Amino acid sequence: MNKVSLLVIILAASFLPLTFADTILLKNGHVITAGEVGTLKKGDVLIVDNKIAQVAKNITIPKGAEVIDLTGKIVTPGFINAETLLGITEISGGANASETSSNDKDFTAAYNVADIINPYSTAVPIARRGGVSSAIVAPRSSKESHYAGLGAWYSTHDSNQPQWVVSGKVLYWDMKAVSSGRGATLPRLRAELADAIAFSKDEDNANVSSYKAKRWSLFDLQALAPAMQGKIPLAFRVNRASDITAILKIIADTNIRAVIVGGAEAWMVADSIAKAGVPVLLNPTDNLPKNFDVLHAINENASILHKAGVPIIIGGATSAHDSGKIRYFAGRAVANGLPKDIAINAITSTPARVFNLTNVGTITKGMRADIAIWDGDPLEPLTQITTLYINGKSQSLVTRQDLLEQRYINAATNYFSNTAEKEQQ
């Protein structure tokens, strides 16, 4: 190439845009940002290169932008289901359809669901239909250990796109995983945490026999170390008020960032939880004494905890196929006294903050464009989602159930049509 040709190319390039941005302007929607901007009764959201570039009452239409009028629609961040089996189970029971827990005693705390999430699960589109753009996929404990393993952050976008699975966002401990009784379980927890804390200060020590609380594997101690250092939360699945109090005492002088999961009786010790600064991930439908750990479960658990100053995350709908129902659970909490904005935060910004999901959870400049658009109040059961953006891309909302419905409607239509023709003949 001669110098003249090269100069022509350089000059031509100087008149081109520096980037070829995908630009979408969502205009005139009722925008619930779950962030600092609050709620705009009539507002606009600008998406550029898959990120939120601006949120305001009125944004001038950029040149070349796709403009979508959302008059009468409600806009929210994509919802986060912070406690689900999505992608690691299809149905309960056999057929190798469930990979929720470890059967290897050397890999309990180290059991990592990030390795096994199935993005092609039939439950994933159902979650999207419920506005769920991402989830914390949480393992369950086995009979071998009260450590369930490491949860992963999973984005629910179409499975033909590159997958986003971020490993090791939270470690789980289950109060009901052992049968030795509380009088042994809680002292054992204290001893095991002491071992794990000691290991976290000397991770180069591969001699696990020097830690005596149990027969440790190196893999489990390595998995526990980030939680002991406060780098990731340690989620305690516990319901009874007295157990919550005991756990708060055990972790009081550590760097552990605890999260109470379940917490059916948490309202009874709300002040202690608030003082400890521990979030509670609760199921608003846990309102009946179904066992002796939840004798004092009530509908107002979420609202009482909120009034005490406890950060609330709405959980429930842990079944993979129910993952998209998280908005109904938030609506249930609102019906029992939790302010609506706090309920929306409990399935968006609060889990994002607690589990360090740094670029989702709010409609804020610079965040990933995970946005749901609704034809009414998203916490009302009859409301339908119209569009779900994940990373600025519109997602398919067609589920396997939709395909089956259409299949059998077509079959029935053909059958009756053929029958009518035969009768006419």
Side-chain angles (χ1 to χ4, degrees):
M1 180 181 294
N2 59 42
K3 293 182 179 180
V4 174
S5 299
L6 180 60
L7 179 61
V8 170
I9 292 173
I10 293 173
L11 288 172
S14 67
F15 291 99
L16 295 175
L18 294 178
T19 59
F20 296 92
D22 290 329
T23 304
I24 302 170
L25 180 59
L26 306 177
K27 201 158 186 64
N28 301 323
H30 181 101
V31 183
I32 302 172
T33 70
E36 294 181 359
V37 176
T39 297
L40 302 176
K41 292 184 178 181
K42 186 177 181 181
D44 300 348
V45 180
L46 180 65
I47 301 171
V48 179
D49 284 345
N50 307 324
K51 291 185 177 181
I52 298 168
Q54 190 178 355
V55 185
K57 290 183 178 180
N58 186 27
I59 298 174
T60 302
I61 300 174
K63 184 177 180 180
E66 177 186 0
V67 181
I68 302 174
D69 184 16
L70 298 182
T71 300
K73 300 290 198 307
I74 293 180
V75 183
T76 68
F79 294 152
I80 301 169
N81 189 321
E83 173 81 358
T84 181
L85 299 176
L86 189 65
I88 60 173
T89 186
E90 290 291 338
I91 57 174
S92 59
N96 297 322
S98 180
E99 292 284 354
T100 61
S101 60
S102 173
N103 294 317
D104 186 333
K105 63 182 180 181
D106 291 328
F107 289 84
T108 55
Y111 188 72
N112 192 345
V113 298
D115 298 327
I116 59 172
I117 291 174
N118 176 20
Y120 302 97
S121 167
T122 58
V124 174
I126 300 173
R128 287 200 295 266
R129 180 73 73 83
V132 174
S133 58
S134 61
I136 298 294
V137 181
R140 298 292 181 268
S141 57
S142 66
K143 294 180 180 179
E144 296 292 332
S145 171
H146 45 238
Y147 295 102
L150 292 163
W153 176 29
Y154 168 59
S155 292
T156 63
H157 55 65
D158 292 341
S159 56
N160 62 350
Q161 298 179 17
Q163 294 305 307
W164 295 314
V165 178
V166 181
S167 176
K169 299 304 291 186
V170 53
L171 182 72
Y172 292 88
W173 182 92
D174 195 332
M175 183 71 194
K176 294 183 178 181
V178 292
S179 57
S180 54
R182 283 176 171 78
T185 297
L186 293 170
R188 174 172 286 279
L189 172 63
R190 184 180 289 107
E192 289 174 356
L193 292 181
D195 271 3
I197 290 169
F199 176 83
S200 72
K201 295 176 180 178
D202 186 19
E203 293 184 65
D204 292 331
N205 181 9
N207 181 19
V208 297
S209 62
S210 61
Y211 304 103
K212 305 294 186 181
K214 62 175 286 187
R215 184 179 175 182
W216 291 104
S217 72
L218 178 61
F219 317 105
D220 277 359
L221 284 170
Q222 288 173 334
L224 281 162
M228 301 304 102
Q229 296 162 347
K231 294 179 179 178
I232 64 172
L234 178 55
F236 294 91
R237 290 197 181 104
V238 58
N239 282 301
R240 187 183 291 190
S242 59
D243 294 337
I244 294 171
T245 300
I247 287 170
L248 293 179
K249 289 180 180 178
I250 289 171
I251 65 169
D253 296 323
T254 71
N255 293 322
I256 293 171
R257 292 166 47 206
V259 178
I260 300 298
V261 176
E265 294 186 353
W267 65 275
M268 301 174 67
V269 289
D271 290 339
S272 296
I273 298 172
K275 185 177 179 180
V278 173
V280 175
L281 194 165
L282 56 85
N283 179 346
T285 68
D286 281 343
N287 60 353
L288 294 173
K290 59 187 177 183
N291 61 54
F292 286 102
D293 283 350
V294 295
L295 284 177
H296 302 285
I298 61 172
N299 280 315
E300 296 80 11
N301 191 16
S303 61
I304 292 173
L305 287 168
H306 168 66
K307 289 175 183 176
V310 176
I312 299 296
I313 302 172
I314 300 294
T318 54
S319 164
H321 281 82
D322 287 340
S323 184
K325 295 179 180 177
I326 193 70
R327 65 188 183 100
Y328 304 153
F329 286 68
R332 182 72 172 265
V334 172
N336 288 285
L338 188 68
K340 183 176 286 188
D341 61 333
I342 302 301
I344 292 289
N345 291 349
I347 54 176
T348 56
S349 58
T350 304
R353 174 174 54 80
V354 169
F355 296 110
N356 195 29
L357 315 181
T358 54
N359 59 347
V360 297
T362 65
I363 299 177
T364 304
K365 181 179 179 180
M367 300 292 260
R368 194 173 87 187
D370 285 12
I371 296 173
I373 301 171
W374 309 86
D375 63 9
D377 184 342
L379 303 189
E380 291 288 342
L382 295 181
T383 294
Q384 298 294 317
I385 191 169
T386 62
T387 310
L388 177 66
Y389 293 96
I390 300 180
N391 195 38
K393 303 295 185 183
S394 180
Q395 304 295 305
S396 170
L397 300 175
V398 177
T399 69
R400 182 171 182 268
Q401 287 76 1
D402 294 323
L403 297 176
L404 288 172
E405 177 188 45
Q406 194 57 52
R407 171 183 174 182
Y408 291 113
I409 286 174
N410 291 340
T413 300
N414 292 336
Y415 171 80
F416 289 114
S417 177
N418 292 336
T419 301
E421 288 180 6
K422 289 178 181 178
E423 290 177 351
Q424 289 176 0
Q425 294 174 355

